Structure formats: structure tokens, C-alpha cells
């Protein structure tokens, strides 16, 4: 039983205070006048005030509550190294036996798995502790015990953030003198222009009992020989990062392992940055105003990666109508500057319904043909002019065009269709509205004109009326050429009969001509999950070979891909190795990074109490290295003691938990100390004594 006093006054507290003040005034006046019986008067007034305050004796019946300890077991990836997982299980079993011997102690067990963050996998044991504490009153917490290697990434620096007043202890599976080396990325570019070169910085570090010395570092790039660097541990080393292509550019850095290292997982790291191309420059030459001209202009203007230069020939030079020369155009057509001096600066030249006129001399069109041979790109969007005697096919440019006009123009309704070759080609494969099965009609509107031509080279990826070639693609020398044999693509842009995928088609076409890597006909790519690699192959050929997957360990695996669509092959392969996986197939190569090589979980892996030391000191807890990993002998789990108070809760062979003395009140009873008539009689008796004393 537990006794205490409580007051249940008959009047509000303010009234009692006012009465007390009045009594003090009366007593002060009596003392000033030197009246007799002052003590009795004071005693009578105090008895009266006490009776009005109504004191009670409180008796509580309490039931003690058990203390609660929380044990967090680290299940992160670093705990899978060097036998730590087995040692943690042994520690957990021994700890359960010792807890069972402590009376009035409840134990909550939490198994904390690694957390996936933006930077990769990390160990957040205190987040797991907070979650477990959600239904535990802080006043019952006796302490927290962590079974871990000490590499924790969310240790609070402020004791108040724990939410309880009790010690925190660390039982470390490992020894304080473990050895491990690692490679770190000090700084690295996030992106760079294709063709440029930037500098990244790396550093080799030693941990634990490793001494000083020289590190041997291997730098591997997508192409070129392996670069070997020798540098002291702890010194920052610059390496060159070349951006050879648009998209991901990867540099793999390996630190040569030494005997006795805890792991070699953190001896590898990967620097990945995006290669971005400068804005692509496109020259659009429209032979005459027509309905489709705006379609090309709007499409290219809306592409943020394209700088467009557009000229429309409004009046041919041979036309004589008396108009003054200075009124023929707002801007003179700089033919010499564009087609002689700056031709190589353009990534793509589009001739939109252009016919042979005196505007561009033959020598300039010959320059365009040689521009294609040396790596340039030309797109001819033809109208009826292509079948006429003034066709571009009858100029030096015709030498690089893949189809010859017959002189006939077919004008009848037709829906453009994708050929068998087109179903495989990245420009036309999977266009929205394309038929899913053979024999089905495309879900897009009609066109009404196609120029009858004979394809001499390249691939016919779309056909029109009477099965005539509609879109022909070809590689010429180091460059590329496309021939669109109709000027009715604008009907799709205007939504005629529901329109069609003009944006997808024309944008893919333009970017294929400008050698966009994602639109290559023959391509090999790979993407990695946490435990698998997906290999994808795109081809316009009929057959493919086997892929050779080279694991980070150097082991090679042959992989046969499955066809998922025309010209598309794929296969997902499981892997348990973290690092760069290299894939070779049909003369193509690709790389994929499995796992989190740069994740905080693997940046430091030696057993240590350093991250937890601040919170251990502030709560009075201790760190215990229990060995049992690699060559370190196992040590006994410390004994458990309940401590009521103190600043330290740990010793050499023991750890303490705080006895909180929590309880639950089962019953409460009250006994009045000053009963009604008894208090009244006592007060009247004292007043009578006071009167008697004053009357003497």
C-alpha cells in the first residue's frame, strides 16, 4: 500500500486564499494591539481553514509492471561477411538465456533488414528501434541492445531523440583489429558533352590494422586498354572520364586486393555519368509553300534538342515579273555560306518538296552528296516534283538516294502500312495504331499520293498504294539517307480520319538520321536489378547468336535469348555477384551494374563502435567486441544486471539495464482527516479558550 495526502476543499481555492489573507490580517491587528490569546486565536483560525480545505489520506493499491528491453538484431548485408551472421545468431541465443534469468523483464526482439535509399542500401537500426518503441511507454523502457557490426548509418547525436531515459548497448560481432581496404569516389561529373573529357577523383583507403603502402588501381572503360595507377593510400588521384556516346558512360575502378582483407566487395566502384549531345543543327529547305511545310517546322521547333534553320523558296530565280530584287525576300538565301562553308556544321539536311532549280547550283548538291558520304544525314520528303524532270534524283544528290522514280505518281486513297522489315526497324516498329496481327488494318487515316519509285538500296520500312515504297532508309558511306515518297504526312497532323502517329514517325526518323543511339538497328543493351541482369538485343537480321555474359569475378556464361517481338530478343539471368557485368554478342558489347557498389552499406565494413560511441557515452551504455569472425576468437556474452540509478550501466563483463519501477494502480481509497462535527467542535473549543484567555 502507498499513502499520500490530497485535499478536496469545500470552496474554490480563490475563496480559501481570501479567507487565509483575512485571518492573517486579524492576527496582525491582534499582535499590533498586544491582545492576549494570540496563539490560541491563530490555532483556531488554522483549524477552521483546515476543515474547509478538507484533507484526505489517500491509499493506492499498486501492481508492479515489468521492465521492457528492446534488442535490435542487424540483418544488413555487411553482417553476411566473415561469419558475422552465424556469430550474431550465437549471441542472440546466449542473450536469450541470460534475459530469462532476470525477473520482471520483458524483451522485445527486432530483426532489422537493410533499407533502400536513393544512394543505395544502408543500415538504419535506430529507425527499426523507433518503430518497435511505438507501443511501449517510455517509463517502462529498461534499455536497448544492438547486435551488430557497428556500421550503422542513422545513429542520433542527441540523447533526447531516443524518446526514453535508459542505456543503449552494442554487442559487436567482430574484433576491433579487422583489416580492410576500399576504393572511394571523391568527386565525379554527373554529365558531359559527347566527345568531351572530364576529370573524376578517386582515393584508396585502408581501415583497421592495415598499415601504409602503395595501392594498385585498375581503371576500365568501355573501350581501350586497362589503365593501371599506383598511388599511396589516402591520396586523391585524378582519372580521365571520356564521354564517347550519348546516354550512360561507365568507368569501372578496381583496387587490387591484399591478403587478409575482410571483403573485396568495396574494392570496386563504378563512376557513371550521362553523355549529352549538343543541340542538333537541322537545315530545312522547303521548295515551295504547301500544307505539309508547317508540319515539319512545328515538329522540329518543338524538339528542345534541335536548332532549326528553315528557308522556304517563294519565287524561283527564273521567274521574271518585274519585282525589284530588294523586295524578293526578307532574308536573302545564303546558299554559298550554307552549302559550301558551313555544310559540315549541320547534323541533318531536309529537302521538303524541293525540285531542281537555279537556286542551288549543281556543285552545292554535289557537296551535299559528299557530306553524306563523310557522315552527314539527308532526308528528302518528296512530292510530285520527285517524279518530274526536275527531280532531285536527276542531280548529283541522286547518287546517294536509295530509290529512283519511275515518273509515275499514284493518287488514290491508302493507309500507310509497315513492311516486314519495318516491323523490326526502330523507326517504325511499334508505332501507335499499327496492326497487332497480320491482315488487320492500321488505325490511322488515309493518304492520297505516293511517288512510284524503285528501291535500289536500303530498307523499305513503309509501303503505300499498290504496295509501292513509301519510306526507304539507307546508310551511305559514313552517313544516312531517308526518302519519304509522299507529301501527305500533314493529313495525320491535321487529324484527318483520326490522324496518325506523325510525331512518333517523323521524330524517330529525324533522330535515326542523326544517329541517336536508342534508334540503332543493331543494338545490344542490358539493365540490372539487385539480383538479375536483363539482356536485350535489337536487330533487323533474321538470326542472332548467343550472348556471352562476363561476371565481375571473370566467369563467363553463355545465354540464349528468346524472341519477344519481330527483331526483339530478351533474356533475364539471375546473378549473385555485385559489380559490372559485361555482355558481348554478334560483335556488340554492353555493360550493366548489379548491386549497389557505391552504397553506404559497403563503403565501410570493419567491425567498430565508432558510429555508436557518442550515444553510448550519453546514455551510459557500453560496447562489447564479442569476436567469433575470421580469426578472432569468440568471447562470452556479458551478464545482465538491473540498476536503479547511476551514470554508468556497463562494465568489463556486464551490461546494465535501468530498473524503472513502473506500476499500475489497481484501487484507490480516501480517508477524511478532519471530519465535519469534529472539526467544528475543535474550532469552537479553541475559540472558547481564546475568549477565556482574553477575558482574564
Amino acid at each position: 500500500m502507498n499513502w499520500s495526502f490530497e485535499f478536496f476543499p469545500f470552496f474554490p481555492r480563490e475563496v480559501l486564499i481570501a479567507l487565509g489573507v483575512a485571518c492573517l490580517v486579524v492576527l496582525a491587528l491582534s499582535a499590533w494591539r498586544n491582545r492576549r490569546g494570540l496563539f490560541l486565536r491563530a490555532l483556531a483560525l488554522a483549524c477552521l481553514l483546515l476543515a474547509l480545505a478538507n484533507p484526505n489520506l489517500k491509499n493506492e493499491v499498486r501492481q508492479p509492471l515489468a521492465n521492457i528491453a528492446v534488442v535490435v538484431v542487424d540483418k544488413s548485408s555487411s553482417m553476411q561477411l566473415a561469419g558475422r551472421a552465424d556469430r550474431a545468431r550465437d549471441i542472440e541465443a546466449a542473450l536469450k538465456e541470460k534475459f530469462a534469468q532476470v525477473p520482471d523483464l520483458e524483451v522485445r526482439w527486432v530483426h532489422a533488414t537493410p533499407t533502400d535509399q536513393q544512394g543505395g542500401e544502408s543500415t538504419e537500426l535506430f529507425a527499426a528501434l523507433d518503430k518497435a518503441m511505438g507501443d511501449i511507454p517510455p517509463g517502462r523502457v529498461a534499455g536497448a541492445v544492438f547486435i551488430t557490426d557497428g556500421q550503422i548509418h542513422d545513429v542520433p547525436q542527441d540523447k533526447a531523440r531516443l524518446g526514453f531515459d535508459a542505456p543503449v548497448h552494442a554487442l559487436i560481432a567482430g574484433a576491433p583489429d579487422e583489416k580492410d581496404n576500399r576504393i572511394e569516389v571523391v568527386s565525379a561529373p554527373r554529365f558531359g558533352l559527347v566527345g568531351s573529357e572530364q576529370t573524376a577523383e578517386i582515393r584508396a583507403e585502408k581501415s583497421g590494422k592495415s598499415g601504409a603502402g602503395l595501392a594498385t588501381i585498375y581503371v576500365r572503360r568501355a573501350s581501350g586498354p586497362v589503365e593501371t595507377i599506383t598511388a599511396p593510400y589516402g591520396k586523391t588521384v585524378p582519372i580521365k572520364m571520356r564521354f564517347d556516346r550519348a546516354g550512360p558512360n561507365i568507368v569501372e575502378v578496381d583496387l587490387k586486393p591484399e591478403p587478409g582483407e575482410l571483403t573485396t566487395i568495396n574494392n570496386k566502384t563504378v563512376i557513371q555519368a550521362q553523355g549529352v549531345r549538343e543541340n542538333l543543327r537541322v537545315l530545312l529547305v522547303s521548295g515551295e509553300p504547301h500544307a505539309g511545310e508547317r508540319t515539319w517546322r512545328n515538329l522540329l521547333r518543338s524538339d528542345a534538342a534541335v536548332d532549326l534553320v528553315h528557308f522556304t523558296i517563294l519565287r524561283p530565280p527564273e521567274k521574271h515579273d518585274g519585282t525589284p530584287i530588294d523586295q524578293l525576300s526578307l532574308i536573302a538565301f545564303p546558299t554559298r555560306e550554307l552549302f559550301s562553308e558551313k555544310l559540315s556544321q549541320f547534323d541533318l539536311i531536309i529537302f521538303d518538296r524541293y525540285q531542281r532549280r537555279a537556286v542551288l547550283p549543281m556543285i552545292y548538291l554535289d557537296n551535299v552528296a559528299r557530306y553524306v558520304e563523310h557522315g552527314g544525314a539527308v532526308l528528302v520528303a518528296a512530292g510530285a516534283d520527285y517524279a518530274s524532270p526536275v527531280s532531285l534524283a536527276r542531280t548529283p544528290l541522286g547518287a546517294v538516294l536509295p530509290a529512283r522514280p519511275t515518273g509515275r505518281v499514284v493518287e488514290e486513297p491508302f493507309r500507310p502500312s509497315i513492311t516486314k522489315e519495318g516491323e523490326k526497324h526502330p523507326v517504325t516498329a511499334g508505332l501507335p495504331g499499327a496492326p497487332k496481327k497480320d491482315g488487320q488494318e492500321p488505325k490511322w487515316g488515309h493518304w492520297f499520293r505516293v511517288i512510284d519509285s524503285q528501291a535500289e538500296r536500303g530498307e523499305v520500312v513503309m509501303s503505300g498504294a499498290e504496295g509501292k515504297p513509301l519510306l526507304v532508309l539507307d546508310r551511305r558511306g559514313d552517313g544516312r539517307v531517308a526518302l519519304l515518297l509522299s507529301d501527305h504526312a500533314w493529313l495525320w497532323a491535321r487529324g484527318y480520319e483520326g490522324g496518325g502517329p506523325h510525331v512518333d514517325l517523323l521524330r524517330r526518323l529525324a533522330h535515326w538520321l542523326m544517329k541517336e543511339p536508342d534508334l540503332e538497328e543493331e543494338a545490344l543493351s542490358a539493365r540490372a536489378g539487385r539480383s538479375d541482369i536483363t539482356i536485350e538485343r535489337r536487330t533487323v537480321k533474321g538470326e542472332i547468336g548467343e550472348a556471352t555474359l562476363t561476371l565481375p569475378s571473370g566467369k563467363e556464361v553463355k545465354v540464349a535469348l528468346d524472341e519477344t517481338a519481330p527483331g526483339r530478343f530478351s533474356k533475364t539471368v539471375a546473378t549473385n555477384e555485385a559489380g559490372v557485368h559485361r555482355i558481348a554478342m554478334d560483335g556488340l558489347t554492353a555493360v550493366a551494374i548489379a548491386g549497389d557498389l557505391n552504397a553506404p552499406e559497403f563503403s565501410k565494413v570493419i567491425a567498430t563502435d565508432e558510429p555508436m560511441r557518442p550515444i553510448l557515452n550519453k546514455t551510459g551504455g557500453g560496447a562489447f567486441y564479442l569476436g567469433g569472425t575470421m580469426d578472432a576468437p569468440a568471447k562470452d556474452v556479458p551478464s545482465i544486471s538491473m540498476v536503479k540509478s547511476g551514470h554508468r550501466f556497463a562494465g568489463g563483463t556486464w551490461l546494465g539495464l535501468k530498473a524503472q519501477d513502473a506500476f499500475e494502480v489497481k484501487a484507490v481509497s480516501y480517508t477524511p482527516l478532519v471530519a465535519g462535527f469534529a472539526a467544528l467542535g475543535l474550532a469552537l473549543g479553541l475559540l472558547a479558550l481564546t475568549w477565556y484567555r482574553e477575558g482574564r
Side-chain angles (χ1 to χ4, degrees), residues 86-100:
D86 295 335
R87 181 57 181 147
R89 282 191 290 269
D90 295 340
I91 295 172
E92 183 177 351
L95 203 57
K96 286 180 179 179
E97 293 181 2
K98 293 183 179 294
F99 278 137

Side-chain angles (χ1 to χ4, degrees), residues 517-532:
D518 291 339
L519 292 170
E520 290 296 310
E521 302 97 310
E522 301 297 323
L524 177 66
S525 63
R527 65 178 187 273
R530 185 170 296 278
S531 59
D532 57 44

Side-chain angles (χ1 to χ4, degrees), residues 86-381:
D86 295 335
R87 181 57 181 147
R89 282 191 290 269
D90 295 340
I91 295 172
E92 183 177 351
L95 203 57
K96 286 180 179 179
E97 293 181 2
K98 293 183 179 294
F99 278 137
Q101 300 172 9
V102 180
D104 298 325
L105 180 65
E106 179 184 340
V107 182
R108 303 279 182 92
W109 296 87
V110 180
H111 292 82
T113 55
T115 303
D116 286 330
Q117 300 288 356
Q118 186 175 2
E121 182 181 317
S122 64
T123 303
E124 299 189 352
L125 301 189
F126 280 85
L129 174 64
D130 290 341
K131 187 175 181 180
M133 291 285 299
D135 61 342
I136 302 177
R140 295 182 61 186
V141 179
V145 181
F146 292 85
I147 302 176
T148 178
D149 56 7
Q151 296 292 355
I152 306 173
H153 305 117
D154 66 337
V155 180
Q157 299 301 310
D158 186 4
K159 175 184 175 181
R161 291 188 58 190
L162 292 174
F164 58 85
D165 182 18
V168 174
H169 302 281
L171 304 183
I172 299 176
D177 56 355
E178 293 176 343
K179 174 183 176 181
D180 187 61
N181 300 339
R182 67 183 185 277
I183 191 76
E184 293 182 349
V185 178
V186 179
S187 64
R190 297 178 59 187
F191 59 87
L193 293 176
V194 173
S196 68
E197 191 176 83
Q198 296 195 38
T199 300
E201 293 181 327
I202 59 172
R203 181 172 58 228
E205 292 283 2
K206 280 182 174 286
S207 301
K209 64 181 180 180
S210 301
L214 294 177
T216 302
I217 303 170
Y218 303 106
V219 180
R220 295 181 175 87
R221 300 177 177 86
S223 60
V226 177
E227 180 183 356
T228 302
I229 301 174
T230 301
Y233 283 96
K235 180 181 178 181
T236 299
V237 179
I239 61 172
K240 296 297 182 182
M241 186 165 187
R242 297 188 294 268
F243 291 85
D244 299 323
R245 62 185 297 274
N249 288 260
I250 296 175
V251 175
E252 183 182 2
V253 183
D254 290 351
L255 174 63
K256 184 178 180 180
E258 295 181 355
E261 284 194 53
L262 188 65
T263 180
T264 59
I265 291 179
N266 53 6
N267 287 40
K268 298 181 180 182
T269 190
V270 171
I271 304 173
Q272 180 171 300
Q274 292 291 321
V276 295
R277 301 175 67 176
E278 292 185 276
N279 272 14
L280 302 168
R281 300 194 66 195
V282 178
L283 173 61
L284 172 60
V285 181
S286 297
E288 59 185 28
H290 70 102
E293 179 184 10
R294 184 172 295 275
T295 299
W296 283 109
R297 182 180 178 87
N298 290 344
L299 175 73
L300 296 170
R301 283 290 188 191
S302 65
D303 195 331
V306 170
D307 288 335
L308 177 64
V309 177
H310 183 200
F311 288 95
T312 300
I313 300 173
L314 302 177
R315 177 182 179 275
E318 67 272 11
K319 182 176 181 181
H320 301 286
D321 57 3
T323 304
I325 297 297
D326 59 355
Q327 298 180 17
L328 289 179
S329 63
L330 297 176
I331 301 175
F333 192 7
T335 54
R336 181 176 179 276
E337 183 180 4
L338 292 177
F339 291 94
S340 179
E341 298 176 1
K342 297 184 177 181
L343 186 63
S344 61
Q345 297 181 9
F346 288 98
D347 298 285
L348 172 63
I349 298 175
I350 301 176
F351 291 99
D352 175 32
R353 282 185 54 164
Y354 182 85
Q355 54 187 297
R356 179 163 53 95
R357 287 173 169 173
V359 175
L360 292 181
M362 291 298 180
I363 186 64
Y364 290 161
L365 294 176
D366 185 59
N367 288 346
V368 175
R370 285 188 281 111
Y371 155 82
V372 172
E373 297 281 356
H374 290 91
V378 167
L379 167 62
V380 175

Side-chain angles (χ1 to χ4, degrees), residues 401-673:
L401 297 178
R404 291 283 175 182
T406 64
R408 175 171 171 255
V409 178
V410 180
E411 294 190 340
E412 62 179 62
F414 69 92
R415 282 190 172 92
S417 59
I418 299 173
T419 64
K420 292 296 183 182
E421 292 79 9
E423 291 177 354
K424 302 177 183 178
H425 202 285
V427 170
T428 49
L431 282 177
K436 301 297 184 182
K437 298 179 181 179
D438 292 339
Q440 288 184 341
E441 282 284 323
K443 296 180 180 179
W444 49 57
H446 286 86
W447 292 5
F448 295 91
R449 180 186 295 144
V450 63
I451 313 305
D452 186 11
S453 302
Q454 295 292 329
E456 297 179 345
R457 297 181 303 273
E459 297 174 319
V460 179
V461 296
M462 294 186 76
S463 60
E466 301 179 3
K468 301 298 182 180
L470 178 62
L471 178 59
V472 187
L473 308 179
D474 187 27
R475 294 172 181 262
R476 185 74 176 183
D478 294 330
R480 303 184 182 190
V481 183
L483 183 57
L484 181 60
L485 294 162
S486 177
D487 56 354
H488 280 188
W490 63 272
L491 291 171
W492 281 358
R494 299 285 181 87
Y496 177 74
E497 293 184 343
H502 72 286
V503 173
D504 297 88
L505 175 62
L506 300 182
R507 182 164 290 166
R508 288 188 200 176
L509 178 59
H511 282 273
W512 175 82
L513 287 164
M514 292 185 285
K515 302 178 182 179
E516 180 69 34
D518 291 339
L519 292 170
E520 290 296 310
E521 302 97 310
E522 301 297 323
L524 177 66
S525 63
R527 65 178 187 273
R530 185 170 296 278
S531 59
D532 57 44
I533 301 288
T534 300
I535 304 171
E536 295 179 342
R537 174 81 164 91
R538 182 172 63 236
T539 181
V540 294
K541 300 177 182 178
E543 297 180 356
I544 61 171
E546 279 190 327
T548 301
L549 172 63
T550 304
L551 303 177
S553 62
K555 180 182 177 182
E556 293 187 352
V557 179
K558 296 292 184 180
V559 181
L561 275 58
D562 301 325
E563 187 172 10
T564 57
R568 302 292 190 276
F569 299 83
S570 177
K571 188 75 170 184
T572 299
V573 183
T575 178
N576 56 4
E577 294 188 22
V580 176
H581 293 63
R582 301 179 181 276
I583 302 95
M585 184 180 188
D586 300 334
L588 303 171
T589 60
V591 294
I593 305 168
D596 299 313
L597 287 184
N598 302 335
E601 182 64 23
F602 295 110
S603 61
K604 298 179 181 179
V605 294
I606 63 168
T608 179
D609 64 342
E610 183 179 347
M612 293 189 67
R613 179 52 55 190
I615 200 68
L616 297 179
N617 292 338
K618 291 177 181 179
T619 61
F624 303 85
Y625 287 91
L626 301 183
T629 59
M630 297 187 72
D631 298 330
K635 296 183 179 180
D636 293 336
V637 174
S639 59
I640 311 296
S641 299
M642 299 302 297
V643 181
K644 287 194 173 184
S645 62
H647 297 290
R648 292 296 301 166
F649 291 86
T653 59
W654 65 277
L655 65 83
L657 299 175
K658 188 173 183 180
Q660 296 287 11
D661 293 330
F663 60 86
E664 181 182 7
V665 177
K666 290 293 187 180
V668 179
S669 61
Y670 295 93
T671 303
L673 296 178

Side-chain angles (χ1 to χ4, degrees), residues 25 29 50 67 155 170 360 399 455 465 670:
V25 171
L29 290 174
L50 185 64
N67 297 294
V155 180
L360 292 181
Y670 295 93

